[in-house]
Amino acid sequence: MPLTKVTRNYQITIPAEIRKALGIKEGEYLAVELRGDEIVIKRARKKWKTFRLGRKLTAEELERISGEAMEEEMSWEP
C-alpha cells in the first residue's frame, strides 16, 4: 500500500501509481468524505453551468444565470 505524507499545510500528494490507474489529471475535482476513521477520496463529476452564445443577454438574464450558478455551486455534492 503506497504511503503519502501530510505537509505543514495539511496537503497530501496522491501517489503516481494511483493517479495513473484512475487517470486523474491536474485541475480535476475530487470529493473527500469521512467514513468512520477513514478518509475516502473519489473523482467528482461536476457539470458546469453553460449558456448559449451568439445572442445578446440582458442584465436581468445575466443576473439570473449567475444567481442560479451560485446557488448550484453552494449546494453541489458529488
Side-chain angles (χ1 to χ4, degrees), residues 45-75:
R45 301 280 184 208
K46 184 165 180 164
K47 294 183 180 178
W48 297 101
K49 189 78 170 174
T50 60
F51 54 93
R52 181 185 278 197
L53 297 177
R55 68 178 180 93
K56 292 184 178 182
L57 298 175
T58 66
E60 292 79 18
E61 287 176 306
L62 286 172
E63 192 171 314
R64 180 184 52 78
I65 290 168
S66 65
E68 289 172 0
M70 288 297 291
E71 287 177 15
E72 201 172 293
E73 181 71 22
M74 298 301 285
S75 66

Side-chain angles (χ1 to χ4, degrees), residues 22 28-31 42-47 76-78:
L22 296 175
E28 284 191 61
Y29 285 88
L30 301 175
K42 55 188 175 181
R43 175 180 270 135
R45 301 280 184 208
K46 184 165 180 164
K47 294 183 180 178
W76 178 77
E77 290 188 29

Side-chain angles (χ1 to χ4, degrees), residues 22-41:
L22 296 175
I24 296 171
K25 305 285 186 221
E26 180 181 344
E28 284 191 61
Y29 285 88
L30 301 175
V32 181
E33 181 181 332
L34 182 61
R35 289 189 192 162
D37 64 345
E38 296 180 336
I39 299 169
V40 178
I41 302 173

